[in-house]
Amino acid sequence: MRQKIVAGNWKMNKTLEEANILTSEIAGMVADEVKSDAKIIFCVPFPYLLPIKNQLGTNARIAIGAQNCSEHESGAYTGEVSAAMLKSVGIPYVILGHSERRQYFGEDGKLLAKKVDIALKHGLTPIFCCGEPLEVRESNGHETLVKKQVEESLFHLDADAIKKIVIAYEPVWAIGTGKTATAQQAQDMHAVIRKHLAAKYGQSVADSISILYGGSVNAANAKELFACPDVDGGLVGGASLKSREFTEVIKGA
Ligand code: PGA
């Protein structure tokens, strides 16, 4: 059985005080209401990693992740945060290659391969994002592009290493738009990704990798999306900023 994961991507939102309130509300609701053993991850802005980790204390249900890390080991890279630093403060997860990083910060497949390597080297679990823009979907190039994104940044890994990756398929046209992929569209792409992994690494490795769906996941659509056989949970933006909404998303897993 693959691990079901619901990860909230807070992006660049909230003050620390608001983040503390959100955390305590969700932790309380999860303790009272969530029966499933889905892994819950809060991917928070850098300044909140330690405060939120400390706030959660021994809460074993909720883990913390960063939203990015440098491709460099250490040194004169003003403003950057390294994988070793994240590890040293006890952060287990890091989102890599989010479409906003690709679009606004010019991150490409080669750079992301380096980030994946350095994250793994320091024992972090990358949540590696892929997904096509609208025009690629409309010209029916989505499967080719997403397979290429996975190849470029992950296929240099050996089987033991790729098993440590979580993949998030996030069609760019569905991110923050309220326009979710249908469950069928999500399932179809997840199956394509898994088949691609199986062709390279074998079926049992492919079957062990959690593939999350992201893009306008909310309380109303999570259950149907997460019920798809190849959808192992979600990477959730907007809905992860509201405690009731996010708890309902978690319940869908
Ligand atoms: P959204 O964002 O849920 O607000 O569409 C998802 C993401 O960007 O990870």
Side-chain angles (χ1 to χ4, degrees):
M1 272 297 279
R2 284 188 290 276
Q3 170 82 64
K4 286 254 185 199
I5 298 171
V6 179
N9 175 10
W10 293 7
K11 308 191 181 183
M12 196 173 73
N13 289 296
K14 299 208 178 278
T15 63
L16 178 58
E17 191 185 351
E18 291 164 346
N20 287 142
I21 293 168
L22 180 68
T23 298
S24 79
E25 286 179 356
I26 297 172
M29 289 180 197
V30 165
D32 292 344
E33 302 171 33
V34 176
K35 305 275 175 290
S36 81
D37 60 357
K39 178 112 233 149
I40 302 160
I41 308 170
F42 291 175
C43 296
V44 310
F46 288 129
Y48 306 160
L49 288 167
L50 270 188
I52 299 298
K53 181 175 151 44
N54 291 339
Q55 185 185 350
L56 285 167
T58 56
N59 186 325
R61 303 291 306 270
I62 305 173
I64 301 291
Q67 299 171 13
N68 181 32
C69 72
S70 172
E71 71 275 27
H72 300 291
E73 186 65 49
S74 67
Y77 301 102
T78 301
E80 289 291 275
V81 172
S82 73
M85 289 171 183
L86 295 176
K87 184 65 183 176
S88 76
V89 294
I91 302 305
Y93 292 94
V94 60
I95 296 175
L96 294 176
H98 189 279
S99 72
E100 288 147 19
R101 301 289 321 169
R102 294 177 188 260
Q103 187 179 348
Y104 306 133
F105 301 93
E107 296 193 0
D108 63 13
K110 259 176 91 171
L111 175 87
L112 292 169
K114 289 189 198 162
K115 292 194 176 197
V116 164
D117 285 345
I118 205 150
L120 288 174
K121 178 182 168 199
H122 291 286
L124 303 176
T125 298
I127 301 172
F128 174 79
C129 302
C130 54
E132 80 286 355
L134 183 61
E135 61 276 15
V136 174
R137 166 70 61 166
E138 283 175 341
S139 64
N140 207 28
H142 48 293
E143 293 186 4
T144 307
L145 178 71
V146 169
K147 285 198 284 189
K148 183 163 168 270
Q149 289 173 331
V150 169
E151 272 168 38
E152 277 179 346
S153 302
L154 301 180
F155 271 21
H156 63 289
L157 300 173
D158 65 19
D160 282 341
I162 195 130
K163 282 199 270 188
K164 298 184 179 130
I165 305 279
V166 173
I167 294 176
Y169 167 60
E170 300 202 300
V172 180
W173 45 271
I175 294 177
T177 59
K179 193 168 179 256
T180 322
T182 64
Q184 192 61 54
Q185 285 173 321
Q187 168 55 29
D188 288 350
M189 184 60 91
H190 285 226
V192 164
I193 295 168
R194 200 174 307 284
K195 206 168 149 212
H196 202 44
L197 292 166
K200 166 98 176 154
Y201 294 101
Q203 195 64 47
S204 77
V205 170
D207 284 341
S208 74
I209 296 175
S210 294
I211 307 178
L212 315 184
Y213 169 79
S216 298
V217 174
N218 59 38
N221 59 32
K223 204 174 168 69
E224 190 190 357
L225 286 161
F226 299 167
C228 297
D230 285 293
V231 177
D232 307 308
L235 180 56
V236 185
S240 74
L241 299 172
K242 295 176 232 149
S243 52
R244 173 47 58 195
E245 182 89 11
F246 192 55
T247 303
E248 296 303 319
V249 169
I250 296 165
K251 286 185 191 172

